[in-house]
Amino acid sequence: MDAGNDPDPPTHHGPLRFQVPEPSARPGDEPDFSYLDVPPAGDTRRPEVSVDPHQIRDLADAMIRVLDDDGNAVGPWAPGAELSADAMRRALRAMVITRAYDDRMFQSQRQGKTSFYMRSTGEEAIAVGHALELGPRDMFFPTYRQQGWLIAREWPLVDMMCQIFSNERDRLHGRQMPVMYSAKEAGFFTISGNLGTQFIQAVGWAMASAIAGDTCLAAGVVGEGTTAEADFHHALTFAATYQAPVILNVVNNQWAISSFQGIAGGASSTFAARAIGHGIPALRIDGNDYLAVVAGIRWAAERARRNHGPTLIEWVTYRAAAHSSSDDPSKYRPQDEWKAWPLGDPVERLATHLGQIGEWSPVRQNELDEEAKAIVRAAAKEAEGYGTLLDGHVADRRSLFEDVFKEMPAHLRRQRDELERLT
Amino acid sequence: MNVAIRSALDVMLGRDGQVVVFGEDVGYFGGVFRCTEGLQSKYGETRVFDTPIAEGGIIGVAVGMGAYGLRPVAEIQFADYVYPGLDQLISEAARLRYRSGADFTAPLTVRMPAGGGIHGGQTHSQSPEALFTHVCGLKTVLPSTPYDAKGLLIASIEDDDPVVFLEPKRLYNGPFDGHPERPIVPWTDHPLGDVPEDYYSIPLGVAAVRRPGSDVTVLAYGTMVYVAEAAAAETGVDAEIIDLRTLLPLDTDTIVQSVEKTGRCVIVHEATRTSGFGAELAATVQELCFFHLESPIQRVTGWDTPYPHAQEWDYFPGPGRVGAALRSVMED
Ligand SMILES: Cc1ncc(C[n+]2csc(CCOP(=O)(O)OP(=O)(O)O)c2C)c(N)n1
């Protein structure tokens, strides 16, 4: 190795050391979340939405929480009367259906009816909160783990499943892998397999809304692992420069496949703190606390609508299921880590709160659980009736050549005809 | 083939203290295709480590490490995800030697699984080899057997220039002849699956004749080598099947010898057709063998569309399409 000058410059510090961050626990270890500071609910201040971002830098290290351990809504972020019991029940229902949907589709994958599936278990509150709090013309730029949005917006479950089964009714003609939905009429941008690309596109959409003098916002989502991609940093730079009306969400579910959040730089500072250098306000929020989720989205949306620009939100949550149907988390994290997760389960916490205020009961929860399973079962039965990957009832192979361009060029017509001639 | 890749990395980590191996999920977990399983526990985190999800970052640090004097072996989780890293690969790694008058070099290897056949849809199935062969200063390797994968990976790591090493992911667990309905034969039951444990290398730029024949020359690489073998068997055409193994530098001697003998040529690749590597091969054969050709050169390739999820076997250029081309050049 011949870097630097010869002879070696004198040093009194000994050799350098290559440092690689380590997760707190691996398979066989006790789960250990001592790295996570969990302040009591209600402890974090709520600034005006017009606040100068430099005045709230501390919020990037705090954690906004509304629901306490007993399910009471406390502190300045509690939405109070502005979030009705009906609205909370609607959110609970969407989360419960999402979970039932995930379980069913995962089973379908195991039965060979589709090739692949990804569950959102444990982080349903974030997508559902966005779907119910943002407006009908706002645009959501999701990851593959935001199916809760479509379910909360009551996009047909059968259509979602037809995409999963790649069958003849799949609106995407079997082109995309399962879970890569596209639903413009539901404000849901087409999902890319290439991580992070949607984040800067959300900023572009928001810039367009401002250029056009429109009133709608964009919200982008990435996982914490994806904050390492350049597109994340492009998004912050452009959003800050043009004060774009966009909510920049980082879903920190602690794991990116086998890599703990420290591999994305999360051991050095919070992901919310990435905003500070850009002069973007940062909120760090308990993502398993539905009331805090709503409060955070409302704050950021109002700020954007009032032309105060973007907000970055880090949602602290946990990926309870495997990364995907191809993944085996027992190879890299303690098997029971989810049970030790200090922020609990978003479904249980919202149900407890509703019970606390006399608007819910274990009996009604039971009924909801059963109803959700029945709804999903019925939808699956119908969707499977249109075919699955297993029985080969997929879109016509001619559709392969459509939508490459608006008008099919001659070379693609020739290729389509060649395929037609094959038996 | 993943076992052979792991063995090559193991051998090189053991032999050469300058070799470092890294990428997304490569360290503790051992890679999503298990190509680096056990290497971190054997060589430690300084030699084998996880990286942030940032392909531009991964290739960028590889360039810096290579300039320092290490021999970085970076993994891109899927070839479909290399694009954020192309600036570092094309503008930097490929030209470092040239622009600095060999003051700085980029002795790095960038490994990536490529190709389809696993229902991966458009972002887990691509074959972007022609993007790399189009760049001056990059070598491009694409093995088809475990034995070759190990020997060629070792040669790539030892090479003093940047090498893109594409691994046909459908071949990780066994050969694949394009008949998805047939059961998978694991490499352990296949003669080409036998890989010596120790060091050996296979020089870059040397093709292999997989099946000698006299009727037509088939130029193929990766998964398509097995598809071409199946097509020859199914049609009875006596094809000479050449596995290119390295696309750049290209072994034109072996190609020319064969085409001069057979007088016919079919080129097969999984990648899309237009401006694919087949176009380069067809031009080369035309330039060097024109007066020996008895029929037009044919290409069998993926269609010029993104790789679909559900209609994978309508997209994949299987033995039916290759066989049709073999018959057709024989009739011309
Ligand atoms: C550009 C790119 N690189 C790599 C991948 C492979 N990959 C798919 S998901 C994933 C982990 C993403 O983790 P994170 O962003 O934390 O989201 P999570 O899955 O935890 O929701 C990786 C590496 C990809 N899809 N795209």
Side-chain angles (χ1 to χ4, degrees):
Chain A
M1 289 185 260
D2 55 3
N5 294 332
D6 216 17
D8 283 349
T11 171
H12 307 292
H13 304 296
L16 296 166
R17 190 163 41 83
F18 183 55
Q19 303 174 55
V20 182
E22 286 290 344
S24 55
R26 285 295 193 187
D29 298 339
E30 281 297 307
D32 176 5
F33 289 111
S34 58
Y35 66 85
L36 194 72
D37 249 335
V38 182
D43 234 23
T44 306
R45 71 197 168 96
R46 182 182 188 282
E48 287 301 311
V49 296
S50 57
V51 69
D52 174 354
H54 298 96
Q55 307 303 315
I56 58 163
R57 288 180 169 191
D58 55 307
L59 293 190
D61 288 320
M63 196 191 295
I64 296 165
R65 308 182 67 227
V66 171
L67 294 176
D68 70 14
D69 292 346
D70 302 321
N72 300 304
V74 297
W77 289 89
E82 281 162 41
L83 186 66
S84 67
D86 276 343
M88 286 188 274
R89 274 190 296 258
R90 189 172 166 206
L92 184 67
R93 184 181 160 82
M95 287 197 266
V96 170
I97 296 175
T98 302
R99 196 166 284 186
Y101 174 85
D102 277 352
D103 287 343
R104 178 90 194 191
M105 292 300 99
F106 184 74
Q107 290 310 325
S108 298
Q109 192 278 338
R110 287 298 188 248
Q111 293 161 358
K113 293 175 185 162
T114 185
S115 60
F116 180 80
Y117 194 70
M118 296 176 102
R119 288 175 285 180
S120 61
T121 316
E123 50 191 274
E124 296 95 340
I126 299 156
V128 167
H130 276 84
L132 298 181
E133 291 303 321
L134 294 181
R137 292 183 57 253
D138 296 333
M139 186 60 81
F140 193 49
F141 288 75
T143 69
Y144 43 68
R145 236 182 274 286
Q146 315 301 321
Q147 50 268 54
W149 169 289
L150 290 174
I151 289 169
R153 288 270 169 118
E154 295 176 4
W155 207 63
L157 281 182
V158 172
D159 282 345
M160 293 177 69
M161 290 175 177
C162 288
Q163 199 281 331
I164 300 297
F165 295 139
S166 285
N167 63 24
E168 282 160 358
R169 291 264 185 124
D170 171 12
R171 299 189 192 200
L172 307 180
H173 313 289
R175 290 175 190 150
Q176 279 277 57
M177 268 178 87
V179 315
M180 302 292 181
Y181 313 100
S182 179
K184 189 174 185 179
E185 76 275 20
F188 192 90
F189 191 70
T190 156
I191 299 175
S192 172
N194 298 65
L195 290 172
T197 50
Q198 72 280 7
F199 216 52
I200 181 66
Q201 293 161 357
V203 175
W205 202 96
M207 285 166 62
S209 180
I211 289 168
D214 201 341
T215 56
C216 48
L217 314 178
V221 185
V222 287
E224 88 291 342
T226 302
T227 63
E229 289 284 4
D231 281 336
F232 171 80
H233 301 273
H234 296 154
L236 266 61
T237 307
F238 278 70
T241 300
Y242 298 108
Q243 290 297 298
V246 61
I247 308 176
L248 299 166
N249 295 292
V250 177
V251 176
N252 180 0
N253 63 13
Q254 314 304 312
W255 290 95
I257 311 186
S258 74
S259 299
F260 85 113
Q261 46 105 27
I263 293 292
S268 318
S269 83
T270 68
F271 293 95
R274 305 291 189 268
I276 290 176
H278 293 274
I280 294 176
L283 305 179
R284 190 160 172 270
I285 303 182
D286 176 345
N288 291 10
D289 173 341
Y290 187 73
L291 275 69
V293 170
V294 168
I297 296 168
R298 287 184 178 179
W299 191 92
E302 193 185 338
R303 184 174 170 90
R305 290 195 209 282
R306 289 209 216 158
N307 277 304
H308 295 303
T311 300
L312 180 92
I313 305 179
E314 175 182 345
W315 303 102
V316 184
T317 184
Y318 186 81
R319 193 197 79 213
H323 172 73
S324 73
S325 53
S326 316
D327 179 42
D328 175 9
S330 71
K331 288 211 160 71
Y332 54 77
R333 68 183 189 187
Q335 203 123 39
D336 50 352
E337 211 181 44
W338 161 234
K339 292 195 193 111
W341 174 242
L343 301 180
D345 175 340
V347 173
E348 278 172 26
R349 286 176 69 192
L350 182 54
T352 307
H353 172 64
L354 278 165
Q356 229 3 299
I357 58 172
E359 295 284 353
W360 200 243
S361 67
V363 175
R364 289 181 75 179
Q365 182 65 38
N366 230 351
E367 285 166 8
L368 175 60
D369 290 340
E370 290 311 314
E371 188 200 347
K373 279 185 213 148
I375 290 171
V376 167
R377 202 181 310 121
K381 207 165 163 231
E382 182 181 344
E384 286 178 27
Y386 303 130
T388 67
L389 207 55
L390 195 63
D391 62 28
H393 280 115
V394 300
D396 185 340
R397 58 186 182 172
R398 288 171 65 88
S399 71
L400 237 149
F401 299 90
E402 284 155 20
D403 296 331
V404 181
F405 297 101
K406 185 174 173 195
E407 315 274 355
M408 195 182 296
H411 74 289
L412 285 182
R413 283 204 301 274
R414 274 197 303 277
Q415 292 182 15
R416 185 189 60 188
D417 295 346
E418 192 184 331
L419 176 62
E420 274 300 278
R421 284 195 300 274
L422 297 175
T423 43
Chain B
M1 182 182 283
N2 52 359
V3 179
I5 304 272
R6 192 187 310 148
S7 171
L9 295 169
D10 191 355
V11 165
M12 289 311 292
L13 282 159
R15 270 171 78 93
D16 182 348
Q18 312 302 331
V19 171
V20 283
V21 171
F22 53 89
E24 296 159 16
D25 302 294
V26 155
Y28 184 87
F29 184 52
V32 294
F33 288 105
R34 323 305 303 142
C35 289
T36 55
E37 192 177 13
L39 296 179
Q40 183 179 76
S41 58
K42 185 162 175 188
Y43 295 99
E45 280 190 332
T46 303
R47 308 281 310 281
V48 181
F49 53 91
D50 287 324
T51 65
I53 302 169
E55 293 73 15
I58 292 169
I59 300 177
V61 297
V63 172
M65 291 175 189
Y68 177 88
L70 298 187
R71 279 194 188 273
V73 186
E75 176 178 302
I76 300 297
Q77 201 163 80
F78 286 86
D80 317 59
Y81 301 138
V82 71
Y83 308 120
L86 286 189
D87 195 30
Q88 287 292 338
L89 196 59
I90 295 173
S91 315
E92 301 301 315
R95 298 191 212 144
L96 214 59
R97 176 185 297 280
Y98 192 81
R99 81 172 191 227
S100 71
D103 213 6
F104 293 97
T105 59
L108 47 108
T109 304
V110 184
R111 297 177 37 240
M112 58 189 90
I118 65 155
H119 272 304
Q122 58 189 281
T123 56
H124 304 86
S125 309
Q126 294 166 37
S127 297
E129 63 272 11
L131 295 180
F132 307 119
T133 58
H134 193 56
V135 174
C136 330
L138 291 182
K139 295 184 179 176
T140 303
V141 179
L142 207 158
S144 75
T145 71
Y147 182 87
D148 282 1
K150 178 169 176 180
L152 288 166
L153 181 53
I154 288 177
S156 301
I157 296 170
E158 289 181 329
D159 198 283
D160 288 332
D161 285 312
V163 179
V164 175
F165 192 88
L166 296 143
E167 300 166 7
K169 68 176 83 67
R170 179 66 210 226
L171 302 184
Y172 275 138
N173 298 319
F176 178 62
D177 64 4
H179 285 291
E181 69 287 356
R182 293 184 186 162
I184 294 171
V185 186
W187 282 118
T188 41
D189 298 340
H190 195 281
L192 294 169
D194 216 13
V195 175
E197 257 178 51
D198 296 339
Y199 172 92
Y200 65 90
S201 81
I202 296 175
L204 304 187
V206 182
V209 177
R210 290 283 168 225
R211 180 191 190 282
S214 56
D215 289 346
V216 45
T217 300
V218 177
L219 303 181
Y221 47 90
T223 311
M224 300 312 292
V225 170
Y226 302 95
V227 174
E229 283 174 348
E234 288 161 22
T235 56
V237 173
D238 188 21
E240 176 144 296
I241 299 173
I242 297 182
D243 175 0
L244 297 175
R245 305 200 290 188
T246 303
L247 307 188
L248 199 137
L250 183 65
D251 180 358
T252 47
D253 291 350
T254 301
I255 295 172
V256 168
Q257 252 174 34
S258 176
V259 177
E260 285 185 351
K261 179 176 76 177
T262 63
R264 293 181 163 86
C265 182
V266 170
I267 295 162
V268 191
H269 61 59
E270 212 183 317
T272 50
R273 182 181 187 88
T274 303
S275 302
F277 193 65
E280 178 63 32
L281 290 172
T284 304
V285 171
Q286 186 276 139
E287 283 162 7
L288 301 177
C289 311
F290 183 77
F291 295 105
H292 292 85
L293 285 174
E294 290 165 37
S295 70
I297 301 165
Q298 292 215 18
R299 282 184 284 167
V300 183
T301 69
W303 310 114
D304 283 334
T305 75
Y307 207 114
H309 170 254
Q311 303 90 343
E312 175 142 52
W313 306 119
D314 291 315
Y315 184 91
F316 187 89
R321 283 179 63 203
V322 178
L326 293 180
R327 283 207 194 91
S328 147
V329 288
M330 293 314 295
E331 283 160 13
D332 282 334

